[in-house]
Amino acid sequence: MSPASRLKNDNFLRALRRQTVDHTPIWLMRQAGRYLPEYCATRQRAGDFLTLCKSPDFACEVTLQPLARYDLDAAILFSDILTVPDAMGLGLCFEAGDGPRFERPLREEWAINNLTAPDPYDRLGYVMDAVRTIRKALDGSVPLIGFSGSPYTLACYMVEGGGSKDFCHIKRMLYGRPDLLRRILAVTTQAVIAYLNAQIECGAQAVMIFDTWGGSLAHTAYVEFSLAYMRDIVAGIHRNWAGETIPSILFAKGGGQWLEQIAASGCDGIGLDWTTDIADARRRVGGRVALQGNLDPGVLLSSPEVIAAEARKVLEAFGAGNTGHVFNLGHGISRFTPPEHVTALVESVHQYKARS
Ligand code: 1CP
């Protein structure tokens, strides 16, 4: 693998290290997805979403689609956080028009006691093949981000058996049998460490941990049931690989009230959702970590003029000295986003440097 220093565009990695950049780098969560007609066409050819994830050639094809259209500063591996519980034997399926479902949700004590961390090269070998294929296809143009779900977010899906609005099952376990939840989180943490390390060994140049549901926890429960395990992951993953430092980003949806504790986890960057004021976040933690975010994805449903104005508000709120900021949305891009609106966003973020 060619070292990151030979990347044609390393602004994303430099911003995470809080080094000077040519322009504020931008990539978008779910940049490959259903808002792109070419993604929908490839998904149709693949047959379904899981086949798309499990075929390294299809995964590579869709990873590159947004980069062919837009001047993005990073690629993200096309996969899903739920491949890890699938590899742990829970039986993932996506029903047409529906969200993800597990055939065997994790609720019984015996099943929780039997849970083990899978060998990523064996049970998730298709992800490793995808990472290698994508790195080769990127050919040093922009860095490749690997990712995983956080243990608590994965546990939400594993215990609920799919997406949830009220988190009844996991909250019942958290307050009634915290020992069982702790066992799930401990095993999942080991699984995530091995999985992210394997992605790094195969070519991922930065890693992101998605804690989509940590923000649904009570104030005191957040540190104990979500952040503590992410801290173990940050400590357990390769800090350096192939002569390069591998930055880590914790995406903390709804995590605005815990920024100081998150910044102390050892991560290099914090992904912010749009409910947090990025100026305030920078004052609180900007000296210690980079910040990624945090435009409301709903802005992309408006018009190129509004998008440019709202993007500028985020850039100006982050403030002078554009180092330490990776521009992104506060959550995944909506499937109803017109693709040309993304062009307007990427152009406004890149042009901002010209004026600043
Ligand atoms: O029908 C389709 O084509 C599937 C839609 C889709 C896509 C495009 C799903 C199902 N997953 C993905 C890809 C995906 N998921 C990526 C790819 C890389 C990228 O371009 O960003 C990533 C990083 C994820 C991560 C992911 N999956 C998260 C964490 C981030 C977030 O959005 O909060 C979560 C929570 C999931 C679970 C998941 N996978 C898919 C859906 C619809 C969901 C949400 C289910 C729910 O809770 O309702």
Side-chain angles (χ1 to χ4, degrees), residues 144-190:
L144 175 62
I145 308 167
F147 71 89
S148 157
S150 75
Y152 185 74
T153 292
L154 292 175
C156 285
Y157 288 99
M158 292 159 87
V159 175
E160 297 295 330
S164 175
K165 285 198 165 64
D166 52 17
F167 301 105
C168 271
H169 295 286
I170 194 160
K171 290 284 174 87
R172 189 177 293 122
M173 190 183 286
L174 189 153
Y175 291 110
R177 288 293 308 272
D179 58 313
L180 295 185
L181 182 54
R182 282 197 196 97
R183 159 130 183 102
I184 297 174
L185 294 169
V187 176
T188 306
T189 298
Q190 291 316 309

Side-chain angles (χ1 to χ4, degrees), residues 282 315-323 352 356:
R282 189 179 187 189
L315 289 159
E316 278 172 1
F318 183 84
N322 61 1
T323 185
Y352 183 75
S356 58

Side-chain angles (χ1 to χ4, degrees), residues 29-34 39 43 49 76-82 94 100 147 157 163 210 212-213 331:
M29 288 188 270
R30 296 260 172 114
Q31 60 192 24
R34 284 177 290 182
Y39 169 85
R43 185 177 183 272
F49 174 69
I76 181 160
L77 160 71
F78 188 84
S79 188
D80 197 83
I81 62 167
L82 301 178
F94 281 83
F147 71 89
Y157 288 99
F210 287 92
T212 305
W213 300 122
H331 199 194

Side-chain angles (χ1 to χ4, degrees), residues 46-180:
D48 57 50
F49 174 69
L50 267 186
T51 311
L52 198 57
C53 288
K54 293 190 176 183
S55 148
D57 288 334
F58 279 135
C60 178
E61 184 177 319
V62 293
T63 299
L64 299 181
Q65 284 170 347
L67 294 147
R69 261 188 196 256
Y70 313 114
D71 192 13
L72 296 160
D73 295 285
I76 181 160
L77 160 71
F78 188 84
S79 188
D80 197 83
I81 62 167
L82 301 178
T83 54
V84 169
D86 185 45
M88 291 165 105
L90 275 69
L92 177 62
C93 58
F94 281 83
E95 283 139 22
D98 228 357
R101 287 263 143 247
F102 284 113
E103 283 158 29
R104 292 171 289 282
L106 204 52
R107 296 191 196 141
E108 312 286 342
E109 187 158 359
W110 64 266
I112 294 168
N113 287 334
N114 284 342
L115 197 67
T116 55
D119 174 352
Y121 283 103
D122 174 21
R123 303 299 309 276
L124 292 154
Y126 61 90
V127 177
M128 304 314 143
D129 289 340
V131 172
R132 290 190 199 97
T133 308
I134 297 163
R135 259 306 288 274
K136 209 164 155 212
L138 284 171
D139 193 27
S141 52
V142 289
L144 175 62
I145 308 167
F147 71 89
S148 157
S150 75
Y152 185 74
T153 292
L154 292 175
C156 285
Y157 288 99
M158 292 159 87
V159 175
E160 297 295 330
S164 175
K165 285 198 165 64
D166 52 17
F167 301 105
C168 271
H169 295 286
I170 194 160
K171 290 284 174 87
R172 189 177 293 122
M173 190 183 286
L174 189 153
Y175 291 110
R177 288 293 308 272
D179 58 313
L180 295 185

Side-chain angles (χ1 to χ4, degrees), residues 302-311 344:
S302 63
S303 66
E305 296 71 37
V306 173
I307 292 165
E310 293 292 327

